[in-house]
Amino acid sequence: MLRSCENQKILNKMGTAARSSINRKTNESMRLIVTTFVGVVFGFFIGVSFPTLSLTKLTLPSSLLPTVEYVEDQRSGLSTQRFLNVFNPLNRNNGSSTRAQVLNDTSKIWVPTNPRGAERLPPKIVRAESDFYLRRLWGNPNEDLTSQPKYLVTFTVGYDQKNNINAAIKKVGFCFPPTIFFLCVHLCVTNICSKQFSDNFTIVLFHYDGRTTEWNEFEWSKRAIHVSVRKQTKWWYAKRFLHPDIVASYDYIFIWDEDLGVEHFNAEEYIKLVRKHGLEISQPGLEPNKGLTWQMTKRRGDREVHKETEEKPGWCSNPHLPPCAAFVEIMAPVFSRDAWRCVWHMIQNDLVHGWGLDFALRKCVEPAHEKIGVVDSQWIVHQTVPSLGNQGESKDGKAPWQGVRERCKKEWTMFQGRMANAEKAYFQALGADTTDSSAH
């Protein structure tokens, strides 16, 4: 009986222990479930409280990727998963080799701040823009520039027009009222009163006749940039030497012919008017008695600037389109920095005379009929010297200038065709109606 009682006690203890164990497991499971649920809810609220992390803005520690940022781009082929795998600290087996592979594969590196081709460089060392400022061969580079011209003027020249160019760049004039006329004469003779085109301008001469050293007789020529390639036009030069990133330091770019009379023109006053009237593309008015082709570029004596005109019946399909508005000629155009960036891309490599370009300049500013105009109160004379025409060759009994003129006309037709076909293809790709392209 005693043994039976003892056995019963043992069984009772075992039952109590079992129930206690089950109760503990149940409580632990509940705590685990509750903890998990709370963690999920808390994580959800944390997640929605912060913006999504974008890999394009992720900056990695320098120990992982010194000086170079890796971002996913549609051109790179570097997937997000591969990006994470490369720099995952748990992936110790092949992380180093994969990372080295990515570092050496420039097609899979893209730094948004770098120009194309500079992907291997740290962004802060890249200097994509330049200028024509002259530098010394000695001294501290930070002390090279005593002034930084804000404007650029280019002339495409032959030596036969040296005196005309000299007059354009360094023009002497009376700067005092007539009441002290004789004093002014004295000051002008001593060169104090001279109006310098070059005061705030970088001067670039493009030489189509190969003669450059002879220009050293002019003091200003020693400060000018001389580029010499025989028998080329200003638009050939402009496409190759006036890239927007090279002339980015200049507010305005003058791209002028060599046969322009500037007796009634002052560059600084001209720019003041351009700014005042919001002109992105402009030219000085032309003397009305010198065989004009277009009414738009004819100087008007009763105003500072005009932006529209009336032409012969049927010449203008729209009063806001060339040649009635949004139009200047290519002999003496002046471009703002932003307008030139667009125009440079529109210049064709092989169409060197630029004929037809003046009708398309409007595509680079908006609204063109308000931002393209002619400055009347600062005007010039087109002397129509056929100097570049004489650089042609006689063929089939034709004079050199005749061959050049025929080429000009052909280029005009070719340029118009290219522009029309390019616009048509673009609008067709967009599914737009191309039956009336005159408004584009």
Side-chain angles (χ1 to χ4, degrees):
M1 177 64 68
L2 181 60
R3 183 172 296 174
S4 298
C5 292
E6 291 176 353
N7 289 339
Q8 186 62 40
K9 290 180 179 180
I10 292 172
L11 290 174
N12 290 338
K13 290 180 179 180
M14 291 177 62
T16 302
R19 285 192 300 271
S20 177
S21 176
I22 291 173
N23 290 336
R24 282 196 302 272
K25 289 181 179 180
T26 301
N27 292 337
E28 290 175 357
S29 298
M30 289 300 295
R31 283 198 298 271
L32 179 61
I33 291 171
V34 171
T35 301
T36 302
F37 177 78
V38 171
V40 169
V41 172
F42 181 77
F44 172 79
F45 282 108
I46 290 295
V48 299
S49 299
F50 290 92
T52 304
L53 177 63
S54 172
L55 286 177
T56 61
K57 298 181 180 180
L58 178 62
T59 302
L60 298 175
S62 58
S63 60
L64 292 180
L65 187 59
T67 72
V68 181
E69 300 171 11
Y70 286 77
V71 295
E72 182 181 2
D73 181 77
Q74 60 183 0
R75 299 175 298 172
S76 71
L78 180 62
S79 67
T80 304
Q81 187 59 50
R82 183 182 175 196
F83 178 96
L84 295 176
N85 287 342
V86 168
F87 299 105
N88 187 353
L90 299 179
N91 189 7
R92 302 183 182 277
N93 295 329
N94 61 355
S96 298
S97 61
T98 307
R99 191 156 50 244
Q101 178 183 355
V102 173
L103 284 170
N104 293 323
D105 187 358
T106 58
S107 67
K108 295 172 181 174
I109 300 174
W110 181 54
V111 182
T113 59
N114 282 11
R116 183 180 179 183
E119 291 87 353
R120 282 185 175 272
L121 300 177
K124 291 185 178 181
I125 198 63
V126 174
R127 294 294 179 266
E129 297 179 349
S130 189
D131 52 62
F132 287 119
Y133 300 154
L134 300 181
R135 299 282 181 170
R136 302 177 302 177
L137 302 182
W138 63 92
N140 189 336
N142 295 331
E143 300 172 354
D144 284 349
L145 304 179
T146 57
S147 65
Q148 299 183 23
K150 296 186 295 183
Y151 317 120
L152 173 70
V153 58
T154 75
F155 293 94
T156 302
V157 301
Y159 187 65
D160 291 342
Q161 294 296 316
K162 63 172 184 174
N163 291 329
N164 197 55
I165 296 301
N166 182 55
I169 293 177
K170 184 178 181 180
K171 182 184 66 175
V172 176
F174 299 123
C175 59
F176 291 95
T179 53
I180 48 175
F181 174 80
F182 293 104
L183 175 61
C184 180
V185 171
H186 173 72
L187 291 175
C188 289
V189 169
T190 58
N191 210 28
I192 296 175
C193 178
S194 61
K195 297 178 182 178
Q196 298 283 346
F197 201 155
S198 55
D199 280 349
N200 207 14
F201 283 76
T202 293
I203 304 169
V204 177
L205 298 187
F206 296 131
H207 300 269
Y208 60 75
D209 61 354
R211 301 177 66 179
T212 57
T213 56
E214 293 95 328
W215 290 79
N216 286 339
E217 65 181 274
F218 304 117
E219 182 63 28
W220 57 261
S221 178
K222 299 174 184 179
R223 304 188 305 272
I225 308 296
H226 296 265
V227 180
S228 178
V229 183
R230 290 178 59 83
K231 297 182 182 297
Q232 299 302 321
T233 72
K234 71 176 180 181
W235 299 110
W236 184 92
Y237 286 109
K239 188 65 174 178
R240 288 153 181 82
F241 297 101
L242 299 181
H243 188 282
D245 289 344
I246 298 299
V247 299
S249 296
Y250 305 104
D251 294 343
Y252 292 94
I253 299 105
F254 292 58
I255 304 180
W256 280 21
D257 289 352
E258 62 181 338
D259 58 342
L260 304 175
V262 296
E263 290 80 5
H264 307 280
F265 179 84
N266 180 280
E268 295 284 353
E269 292 300 320
Y270 179 90
I271 290 177
K272 289 179 182 178
L273 293 172
V274 164
R275 294 186 190 276
K276 175 181 176 180
H277 293 274
L279 299 180
E280 295 291 319
I281 301 175
S282 64
Q283 75 161 77
L286 295 178
E287 166 58 47
N289 299 324
K290 296 293 182 179
L292 297 179
T293 301
W294 307 106
Q295 289 295 316
M296 179 64 184
T297 54
K298 178 180 178 179
R299 179 179 71 92
R300 300 179 184 178
D302 59 347
R303 64 196 68 189
E304 291 181 336
V305 166
H306 73 270
K307 302 179 182 180
E308 58 185 20
T309 192
E310 292 184 4
E311 267 291 355
K312 297 179 178 64
W315 279 31
C316 297
S317 60
N318 186 312
H320 286 169
L321 293 180
C324 287
F327 177 74
V328 297
E329 296 187 68
I330 58 174
M331 69 180 71
V334 179
F335 304 95
S336 71
R337 181 193 298 110
D338 292 339
W340 176 245
R341 182 168 290 276
C342 172
V343 172
W344 183 89
H345 286 284
M346 188 165 57
I347 297 172
Q348 307 290 286
N349 284 6
D350 56 331
L351 306 183
V352 296
H353 288 287
W355 278 37
L357 190 65
D358 38 14
F359 277 76
L361 294 176
R362 62 189 176 86
K363 300 179 184 297
C364 285
V365 293
E366 179 65 32
H369 65 278
E370 294 181 4
K371 295 186 178 181
I372 298 179
V374 175
V375 178
D376 298 288
S377 58
Q378 294 294 322
W379 50 283
I380 60 176
V381 176
H382 188 205
Q383 299 166 345
T384 61
V385 178
S387 51
L388 188 59
N390 292 334
Q391 297 293 310
E393 293 184 358
S394 298
K395 188 176 182 181
D396 299 329
K398 296 179 179 179
W401 69 267
Q402 289 178 305
V404 172
R405 178 56 60 95
E406 289 178 358
R407 167 71 181 253
C408 291
K409 293 179 179 179
K410 289 179 182 178
E411 289 196 4
W412 191 353
T413 301
M414 294 174 67
F415 182 80
Q416 285 180 313
R418 289 182 187 181
M419 182 62 73
N421 292 336
E423 288 188 335
K424 181 178 179 181
Y426 175 73
F427 289 118
Q428 284 181 343
L430 295 179
D433 182 12
T434 60
T435 57
D436 181 15
S437 60
S438 63
H440 300 301

